[in-house]
Amino acid sequence: MTQRSTLSHLDWLEAEAIHIMREVAGQCSNPVLLFSGGKDSICMLRLAEKAFRPGKFPFPLMHIDTGHNYKEVVAFRDKRAAELGERLIVRSVEDSMKRGTVVLKHEGESRNKHQSVTLLEAIEEFGFDACIGGARRDEEKARAKERIFSFRDEFGQWDPKNQRPELWSLYNARSHKGENIRAFPISNWTEMDVWQYIEREGLELPSIYFAHTRPVAMRQGAIVPVNVPLVGGGVANPSKPGEEIIDLQVRFRTVGDISCTAPVESDADDVSKIVFETATTTITERGATRLDDQTSDASMEQRKKEGYF
Amino acid sequence: MSTNENYEDHGLLRFLTCGSVDDGKSTLIGRLLFDTKTILADTLSAITKTSEKRGMGAVDLSLLTDGLQAEREQGITIDVAYRYFSTGTRKYIIADAPGHEQYTRNMVTAASTANLAIILIDARKGILTQTRRHSKLASLVGIPHLLVAINKMDLVDYSQATYEKIKADYLEFAGKLGIEDVRFIPLSALNGDMIVDRGDSLNWYDGPTLLEILEETPGAHTEHTEKFRFPVQYVCRPQDSANPDLHDYRGFMGRVEAGSLKVGDAVTVLPSGLSSTVKAIQIGGVNIPEAVTEQSVTILLADEIDTSRGDMIVKSSEVPAAVKQIEATVCWMAEAPMDRARTYLIRHTTRDSKAKLAAIDHRLDVNTLEKVPAEKLAMNDIAQVTFKLAQPLFADPYLENRGTGAFIIIDESNNNTVGAGMIL
């Protein structure tokens, strides 16, 4: 049989991601890699190791912490950065709230979209000219047209009608002072590719990605984890009076701010079972689990225009 | 999809779909995603609701590829969108480009990374101006495999005669385009005939289904032997005081644009022209014996040669010419026309050079495919031009090597990418 490819699909995706990270390092003077402790950004760290070892990463890691993150993920974030010996910057939405640059409409409002403000403040504080993120085009419709190198103006805004053409693998990361570039090395990966890569590379993940039992309530058809203990004390998603709380075996497909990531019912307690579930699921990744994308048909596009990743 | 390590992995194929909304392009993509089980229940239920809201009888699969709010309002696709599906043996990336004349630049963008183009033809209409335009652009951008999909066969009673007529018409003008591999297939994207499943209505057609053709199409870099080309992206010098082994480490990082390289091979570094041998090839600090096309690796040389981003490592037996003037086919992509008086920046591999337009040989009328004289270049124009360069480039003809034959043009005043070029 004739050879139909030079590399397996995972090797190809890996090589492309490494190339993109090196373009950022080669073209930008002060980049940063966003690392949340979630599965996509865990893949990004492995890709950065493959791109730059035995050297240090040519960028620090940064997490924009809403203060409402799962403590297992926060602990994992710190542990992984320490293991790699790389610098981790954490900037918090709560600090933006104290400064008055983030004002919640009400106490219970999700802080997820307010990460954009804190991110822009951090970009200004450190003078970053590029942010490397783990967003994927298959996650959501508005992302399908996102460039691999996405230009943002000095307000962090994304203009879908005024993006730079991107041809071959010739990336244009040039920007003026104050503007910046968002670079997405795993743009071409799907959820399945991510899980296959985690399996192949034997990557460690925070425990909440695997089936575990936790108290949940059903709200508007979604499984909502309740009374989730927070790192700084207190709980997120307090149960409502009269609400039925059940102990359910669940896992998270995506992990983010507690207020807007819901788990799915699952008994997949290892990566190979998750790969199998991903291959046979009937619900999309964000459809099942992201409460913030359902507000309106175009809500992701709206958030991106405002500077969201 | 399977994770069984014994299954054959045919890697990845990037292809492009060309056609307008009217040809059923979005429906074709929707059908491919749907029939390969890429569309999940919640997405399907969302588009079912939208179809009902719009008063449509059946689920409109074209809604799957509607991306942005602005487009949804206009009802047309205005930019390149990327879609993914997998058959378990192969992963596919679809670049979905709109077909309208004013969006030539989008098609060129989408075509730049594709190894196959699907040219959609409405069986009722036959070959149109846009068919010629799409085919010409696909050949200009060097796509080696063309699949002419004659769609909406359901609306011509699945007539074999209609199909054969369109095929003959197409072959007549395609002879001039110089694409080696042109194939034809009759389809009904709406009913799903001959896409993933054969259906019952096209029994006179005994060729492969569209998906079977995709599965068999050779991937990029598999059909010809190529010269080794390695543009240096980044130089790794760890200088870790705690680790004396790394004291002299100088790793040249990049992606193999073409060809392959083994430890021990004799190489030359450009522009210095100095030669050495390959001491090691690594990924993430781990040695591998050989680097192949499209792999991102780190190369260590036996001798200390001053090398930085923008340099190129090649095999000493295959050194490309250094050129300070290039002739190229250019697609202009900016609102502002190309200004002959200005200096632009050309980015070729990892190397930049200032460039000035020396001559416009001719413009290509993408509708008539005629060469016409031109004084300026406006958005969506395609022309053959000559540039003078401030720095030498190490270039190959585009049709020989897309990676080292392509460049982009940048306007330094606003940093926008304003053009794309293919070296002749």
Side-chain angles (χ1 to χ4, degrees):
Chain A
M1 190 190 302
T2 53
Q3 190 192 3
R4 269 177 246 149
S5 65
T6 56
L7 300 173
S8 74
H9 83 281
L10 283 182
D11 283 337
W12 190 92
L13 291 170
E14 177 185 278
E16 183 191 45
I18 293 171
H19 176 253
I20 292 163
M21 284 193 182
R22 288 172 173 173
E23 278 306 286
V24 177
Q27 292 190 41
C28 304
S29 57
N30 189 17
V32 64
L33 186 144
L34 296 190
F35 175 59
S36 65
K39 69 179 190 306
D40 297 324
S41 62
I42 288 167
C43 287
M44 297 274 288
L45 290 189
R46 172 51 56 94
L47 292 163
E49 286 183 88
K50 294 214 182 189
F52 300 110
R53 292 291 185 246
K56 305 253 321 161
F57 295 173
F59 36 69
L61 315 178
M62 181 165 78
H63 183 221
I64 303 300
D65 192 338
T66 62
H68 278 181
N69 288 296
Y70 291 94
K71 62 179 190 182
E72 295 88 341
V73 180
V74 173
F76 183 90
R77 173 197 77 188
D78 295 344
K79 176 174 95 94
R80 191 77 193 100
E83 283 167 356
L84 287 168
E86 301 290 345
R87 176 180 171 215
L88 173 70
I89 298 165
V90 177
R91 284 296 174 268
S92 129
V93 174
E94 288 178 345
D95 288 337
S96 300
M97 288 159 63
K98 282 181 201 149
R99 278 193 291 273
T101 47
V102 165
V103 180
L104 300 183
K105 282 182 197 140
H106 53 87
E107 204 200 333
E109 191 199 7
S110 168
R111 299 167 177 193
N112 192 54
K113 72 167 193 173
H114 296 293
Q115 287 178 86
S116 312
V117 174
T118 310
L119 173 63
L120 293 178
E121 288 172 348
I123 287 171
E124 200 177 335
E125 177 187 351
F126 294 96
F128 293 129
D129 60 350
C131 299
I132 309 169
R136 309 190 320 264
R137 286 175 178 150
D138 86 319
E139 282 178 87
E140 208 275 339
K141 269 183 179 181
R143 290 211 197 273
K145 300 188 180 194
E146 177 70 284
R147 301 292 193 264
I148 289 173
F149 282 68
S150 178
F151 171 77
R152 306 297 171 98
D153 68 14
E154 56 186 319
F155 300 99
Q157 295 180 107
W158 179 69
D159 178 357
K161 286 200 154 178
N162 187 26
Q163 295 194 78
R164 293 175 182 173
E166 198 165 73
L167 298 101
W168 300 287
S169 47
L170 294 172
Y171 301 110
N172 175 359
R174 295 171 67 93
S175 62
H176 290 117
K177 197 169 163 47
E179 301 164 342
N180 72 93
I181 294 290
R182 308 280 169 94
F184 303 110
I186 61 169
S187 284
N188 285 325
W189 297 42
T190 60
E191 184 188 15
M192 185 62 165
D193 297 326
V194 167
W195 282 112
Q196 287 178 331
Y197 193 70
I198 288 167
E199 185 178 39
R200 184 182 91 170
E201 297 292 313
L203 301 182
E204 198 188 331
L205 293 178
S207 58
I208 64 171
Y209 277 108
F210 302 102
H212 59 284
T213 304
R214 68 163 62 235
V216 302
M218 298 303 295
R219 292 182 191 164
Q220 293 164 336
I223 301 170
V224 178
V226 292
N227 305 329
V228 184
L230 290 168
V231 178
V235 296
N237 290 354
S239 56
K240 295 173 180 172
E243 187 172 52
E244 189 192 356
I245 297 169
I246 41 176
D247 282 324
L248 203 62
Q249 198 183 36
V250 295
R251 69 176 174 91
F252 288 86
R253 280 174 77 183
T254 92
V255 163
D257 187 78
I258 295 172
S259 67
C260 63
T261 33
V264 292
E265 266 194 276
S266 171
D267 55 11
D269 55 7
D270 65 33
V271 175
S272 67
K273 286 179 191 160
I274 293 174
V275 170
F276 180 77
E277 265 194 15
T278 306
T280 54
T281 182
T282 59
I283 306 289
T284 58
E285 188 179 6
R286 296 188 82 92
T289 62
R290 294 300 293 228
L291 306 170
D292 49 338
D293 288 341
Q294 295 170 6
T295 319
S296 91
D297 208 22
S299 50
M300 169 70 87
E301 187 183 343
Q302 199 54 44
R303 285 206 307 275
K304 280 166 63 70
K305 281 180 181 166
E306 290 162 5
Y308 189 79
F309 241 78
Chain B
M1 277 178 269
S2 157
T3 52
N4 179 355
E5 289 185 1
N6 298 319
Y7 83 97
E8 259 186 291
D9 190 323
H10 292 161
L12 182 140
L13 182 75
R14 303 191 71 156
F15 69 95
L16 152 80
T17 52
C18 336
S20 69
V21 182
D22 304 337
D23 303 321
K25 178 166 60 80
S26 298
T27 308
L28 173 70
I29 295 169
R31 178 57 73 179
L32 262 177
L33 301 180
F34 185 69
D35 286 356
T36 55
K37 317 271 186 286
T38 309
I39 302 306
L40 300 178
D42 57 331
T43 307
L44 191 64
S45 106
I47 64 162
T48 307
K49 271 189 224 154
T50 309
S51 303
E52 281 166 7
K53 240 192 306 190
R54 295 190 183 172
M56 292 163 173
V59 175
D60 181 2
L61 289 175
S62 72
L63 292 172
L64 290 169
T65 58
D66 267 2
L68 301 174
Q69 208 166 17
E71 289 169 37
R72 250 166 282 152
E73 282 156 12
Q74 294 173 23
I76 54 160
T77 314
I78 54 169
D79 203 353
V80 183
Y82 296 91
R83 312 282 163 194
Y84 306 88
F85 69 96
S86 170
T87 53
T89 48
R90 203 169 210 188
K91 177 184 166 93
Y92 293 93
I93 303 180
I94 312 176
D96 177 15
H100 306 275
E101 182 178 1
Q102 60 270 42
Y103 297 123
T104 293
R105 62 174 197 157
N106 289 337
M107 182 172 156
V108 170
T109 301
S112 70
T113 51
N115 214 47
L116 173 139
I118 298 179
I119 308 273
L120 267 172
I121 294 179
D122 182 334
R124 296 170 304 173
K125 295 179 186 157
I127 290 165
L128 303 174
T129 301
Q130 69 159 19
T131 315
R132 279 188 272 272
R133 183 167 73 235
H134 293 153
S135 304
K136 179 66 186 177
L137 288 174
S139 84
L140 269 181
V141 185
I143 297 179
H145 302 280
L146 221 59
L147 176 57
V148 180
I150 300 165
N151 189 27
K152 303 202 181 182
M153 290 299 294
D154 52 310
L155 299 181
V156 295
D157 297 326
Y158 294 100
S159 156
Q160 184 175 4
T162 304
Y163 169 77
E164 296 294 347
K165 170 79 170 59
I166 294 171
K167 186 174 164 182
D169 290 349
Y170 189 92
L171 282 171
E172 199 185 312
F173 91 85
K176 300 173 213 153
L177 292 179
I179 291 185
E180 293 164 29
D181 177 29
V182 182
R183 303 176 77 166
F184 297 85
I185 188 169
L187 300 176
S188 166
L190 188 69
N191 297 334
D193 297 315
M194 232 32 99
I195 297 188
V196 174
D197 303 313
R198 299 191 69 84
D200 300 320
S201 308
L202 288 164
N203 293 329
W204 48 263
Y205 168 81
D206 57 9
T209 62
L210 187 133
L211 187 64
E212 284 166 352
I213 291 173
L214 295 177
E215 292 275 274
E216 293 299 321
T217 300
H221 304 283
T222 59
E223 295 176 273
H224 304 282
T225 44
E226 297 174 333
K227 294 169 185 160
F228 178 74
R229 299 290 186 251
F230 189 82
V232 175
Q233 289 185 277
Y234 194 77
V235 179
C236 175
R237 302 205 60 185
Q239 296 170 316
D240 182 351
S241 55
N243 189 345
D245 288 351
L246 292 178
H247 187 73
D248 295 322
Y249 188 100
R250 284 155 77 88
F252 304 120
M253 300 179 149
R255 189 164 66 158
V256 181
E257 284 293 344
S260 62
L261 186 74
K262 286 190 176 71
V263 173
D265 282 348
V267 293
T268 297
V269 180
L270 301 171
S272 72
L274 297 173
S275 295
S276 183
T277 52
V278 178
K279 187 169 77 177
I281 303 172
Q282 300 184 333
I283 296 179
V286 178
N287 286 325
I288 54 170
E290 185 186 18
V292 299
T293 311
E294 299 195 302
Q295 220 170 8
S296 287
V297 298
T298 302
I299 294 174
L300 288 91
L301 300 180
D303 306 282
E304 200 169 297
I305 295 180
D306 188 25
T307 303
S308 55
R309 178 177 169 85
D311 292 358
M312 189 184 286
I313 299 175
V314 299
K315 282 186 184 167
S316 299
S317 55
E318 303 168 340
V319 179
V323 292
K324 286 194 78 171
Q325 177 164 317
I326 47 173
E327 268 185 75
T329 304
V330 161
C331 176
W332 194 251
M333 301 186 148
E335 300 273 355
M338 180 186 247
D339 185 341
R340 299 187 76 142
R342 281 190 53 192
T343 300
Y344 292 94
L345 193 73
I346 277 184
R347 172 162 294 161
H348 169 263
T349 65
T350 55
R351 195 170 176 81
D352 292 345
S353 170
K354 294 202 188 279
K356 278 195 92 139
L357 189 66
I360 302 179
D361 188 65
H362 63 262
R363 187 174 72 79
L364 178 80
D365 183 319
V366 291
N367 293 323
T368 62
L369 306 187
E370 277 171 15
K371 296 173 180 177
V372 292
E375 270 308 303
K376 64 177 183 91
L377 287 186
M379 185 151 84
N380 293 306
D381 277 354
I382 301 236
Q384 192 176 314
V385 304
T386 305
F387 279 111
K388 277 192 178 146
L389 307 170
Q391 299 292 326
L393 299 182
F394 313 108
D396 295 300
Y398 181 81
L399 291 180
E400 216 171 273
N401 186 339
R402 288 166 94 171
T404 50
F407 60 88
I408 56 173
I409 306 167
I410 295 169
D411 180 338
E412 284 184 283
S413 71
N414 56 17
N415 289 326
N416 278 339
T417 303
V418 291
M422 293 155 280
I423 296 168
L424 293 169

